[in-house]
Amino acid sequence: EEGATFDILDKRDSEILALRQSWDYLVTKKQTLEVGWQLREFETEYEYVGTREFDNPLARIRHDYEEELTDLAAFFEDRQGAAYLADQFNLSDELTLELGLRYDNHSLTSESFVSPRFNLAHAIGERSVLRAAWGRFNQSQRTYELGVEDGEREFHPVERSEHRILGVETFVDRGVAAPGLVLRVEVYQREVGNPRPRYENLFEPLNTFPEVEPDRVLTVPRRSVAEGVEVFLRSGFGRKVGWWINYTYATTEDDVDGMWVPRLFDQKHALNLDLDYRISDAWRLNVAWRHHTGWPTTPVSVGQVQDDEGEVEFVPVLGPMNSDRLPAYHRLDLRASRRWEARRGLVDFFVDIQNLYDRQNIGGFDIEIDDEDGTLVRLGEAWAGILPSAGISFEF
């Protein structure tokens, strides 16, 4: 497809064993101590062979354009150990503080880390609370996450991140006959000092076989930052109708060669609306609307060069990475459910319709260069349209 032929054999087998234990100790009425540890073992065996051949000039942007074969037969194992301590105590009737410390060891990359954390909650009056949190976290690359399809043979160091959160939550009592109004506002920031290199498809980010698409590139960020503000509002009308609204303004960017570049799934504005109607004790109807800013994409044009024989050849010319945007994404979902009380449990039946108004949301583009007249052919790839489904579950 898209001017490429390929043959892939991809077999992966993973085994994961985990053991965990934790203790809670009530030191005093105002102090609780939590201690715990965890051991995990990962084993993964790979057998991968991929051959590919490109006829699309767009493939020149690939990080491995000249390579036609990728193969690996290997076995990897990783043993991870962790221990943590958290001490929560009430400094006063209004103020609660939790201090934590975690130790992690990763045998695969021979790394060890100590990560401090703290959480603070301060009551403001009887119906509001202010929360603050800070901590260091690490995320290792699992043995089954090696990008063998892109030629990776070694695992990257553990990613180290720092999280900061500040939020306030308040409750407004609306009387006995109406649900209370809950408002929560949070500001957050997550900074990664050593993000892993990653392989991405610039124009069509979600694919069945992403490694053989012509727009596959390697991105090596020096630093990553995700930050934003989130507003959440929940209430209802009477005892049968409940609703909530969630709005987020956020950015997720990488420092690439000294320039801040949005990530492929960055969405500055996101709005979610949810309405739940309890028709009766058994019947329930839910309506949900989702909207977010279109994901970033990279502009591309066509340039001309001369080959070794002096013939004109058309080549792709990329604009600034992820400097353009896809159209906004939105859809309406509808769900109806019925519950029965069985002799030995509960039976739930539901009918769900996603994208009720059949919105053709663009998730990316198929791009080709016409090597006869040097024009760019760009066809939008849409997400699934209206999608009905039904299911039944039994709880006992």
Side-chain angles (χ1 to χ4, degrees):
E1 62 172 359
E2 300 180 59
T5 58
F6 61 91
D7 186 10
I8 293 176
L9 169 68
D10 191 347
K11 294 182 179 180
R12 313 185 191 203
D13 181 61
S14 294
E15 294 183 3
I16 302 172
L17 177 65
L19 185 63
R20 182 166 55 186
Q21 176 70 56
S22 64
W23 296 269
D24 291 325
Y25 176 55
L26 187 63
V27 181
T28 67
K29 292 182 179 180
K30 294 187 175 184
Q31 184 179 7
T32 302
L33 195 65
E34 182 180 0
V35 181
W37 56 267
Q38 178 177 265
L39 295 175
R40 289 184 295 182
E41 183 176 283
F42 299 85
E43 295 181 352
T44 301
E45 184 175 4
Y46 291 90
E47 183 182 354
Y48 184 94
V49 180
T51 61
R52 55 187 176 268
E53 183 177 347
F54 296 102
D55 293 327
N56 189 342
L58 184 67
R60 288 178 175 273
I61 68 174
R62 286 182 60 103
H63 66 283
D64 56 357
Y65 173 64
E66 300 294 337
E67 300 177 18
E68 297 181 354
L69 173 67
T70 300
D71 67 315
L72 176 70
F75 174 82
F76 300 97
E77 61 180 351
D78 184 22
R79 291 180 176 83
Q80 300 181 0
Y84 64 89
L85 172 68
D87 191 5
Q88 183 182 105
F89 46 94
N90 298 330
L91 299 176
S92 66
D93 293 339
E94 296 82 20
L95 192 60
T96 301
L97 176 65
E98 180 183 76
L99 300 177
L101 197 65
R102 181 183 175 95
Y103 169 80
D104 290 278
N105 176 266
H106 306 272
S107 68
L108 188 62
T109 54
S110 301
E111 294 177 280
S112 297
F113 301 97
V114 176
S115 305
R117 302 164 188 178
F118 89 86
N119 294 280
L120 183 69
H122 181 258
I124 305 173
E126 297 181 354
R127 296 175 180 170
S128 300
V129 60
L130 177 68
R131 293 187 177 92
W134 173 89
R136 294 187 181 276
F137 298 81
N138 62 80
Q139 179 63 55
S140 64
Q141 188 177 11
R142 306 290 192 255
T143 56
Y144 51 80
E145 294 178 328
L146 185 65
V148 297
E149 65 275 13
D150 290 298
E152 284 197 337
R153 298 295 180 266
E154 296 182 355
F155 289 86
H156 297 285
V158 173
E159 285 187 332
R160 296 285 289 160
S161 63
E162 186 172 336
H163 296 210
R164 308 172 186 93
I165 302 174
L166 181 64
V168 62
E169 184 173 358
T170 186
F171 174 78
V172 179
D173 191 353
R174 301 171 64 196
V176 179
L181 183 68
V182 177
L183 173 64
R184 183 174 68 242
V185 180
E186 286 188 349
V187 179
Y188 68 90
Q189 184 183 64
R190 177 179 183 267
E191 184 174 356
V192 183
N194 61 331
R196 288 195 293 267
R198 63 181 185 274
Y199 301 86
E200 299 178 327
N201 294 65
L202 287 181
F203 311 117
E204 196 177 355
L206 300 178
N207 283 279
T208 305
F209 300 102
E211 68 266 38
V212 297
E213 294 291 330
D215 58 344
R216 190 75 166 169
V217 297
L218 171 62
T219 301
V220 186
R222 297 190 299 184
R223 191 162 59 104
S224 296
V225 176
E227 56 190 7
V229 57
E230 180 176 355
V231 180
F232 176 83
L233 189 64
R234 184 185 69 223
S235 187
F237 304 103
R239 297 185 180 276
K240 290 191 174 183
V241 179
W243 58 266
W244 58 263
I245 301 174
N246 170 261
Y247 169 75
T248 303
Y249 175 82
T251 58
T252 307
E253 298 179 316
D254 292 321
D255 180 1
V256 181
D257 296 329
M259 296 183 61
W260 285 102
V261 178
R263 285 204 170 194
L264 274 180
F265 303 109
D266 174 81
Q267 47 194 46
K268 286 190 175 182
H269 302 279
L271 179 65
N272 300 303
L273 311 177
D274 192 280
L275 180 67
D276 189 70
Y277 178 43
R278 298 169 183 85
I279 302 173
S280 66
D281 291 339
W283 283 97
R284 194 166 184 169
L285 186 68
N286 181 265
V287 180
W289 188 68
R290 309 284 182 254
H291 179 282
H292 66 72
T293 305
W295 290 342
T297 189
T298 300
V300 59
S301 58
V302 179
Q304 296 183 10
V305 297
Q306 286 188 343
D307 60 18
D308 295 337
E309 298 178 356
E311 299 290 334
V312 174
E313 187 175 4
F314 299 106
V315 295
V317 179
L318 296 179
M321 186 176 181
N322 292 344
S323 60
D324 203 355
R325 290 273 174 176
L326 299 176
Y329 176 100
H330 58 84
R331 75 171 199 258
L332 181 68
D333 300 338
L334 177 66
R335 181 186 181 101
S337 61
R338 172 72 160 85
R339 167 168 288 196
W340 293 271
E341 291 188 10
R343 179 177 298 179
R344 296 186 177 179
L346 297 173
V347 178
D348 280 295
F349 172 75
F350 73 88
V351 175
D352 187 275
I353 303 177
Q354 288 191 14
N355 198 2
L356 187 63
Y357 49 71
D358 199 23
R359 161 79 173 180
Q360 298 300 298
N361 289 296
I362 300 299
F365 297 100
D366 279 338
I367 297 181
E368 296 185 15
I369 297 177
D370 190 322
D371 55 8
E372 293 186 2
D373 57 11
T375 57
L376 194 71
V377 180
R378 192 170 79 159
L379 301 175
E381 287 283 325
W383 292 94
I386 186 170
L387 183 64
S389 62
I392 190 168
S393 65
F394 176 61
E395 297 180 19
F396 58 92

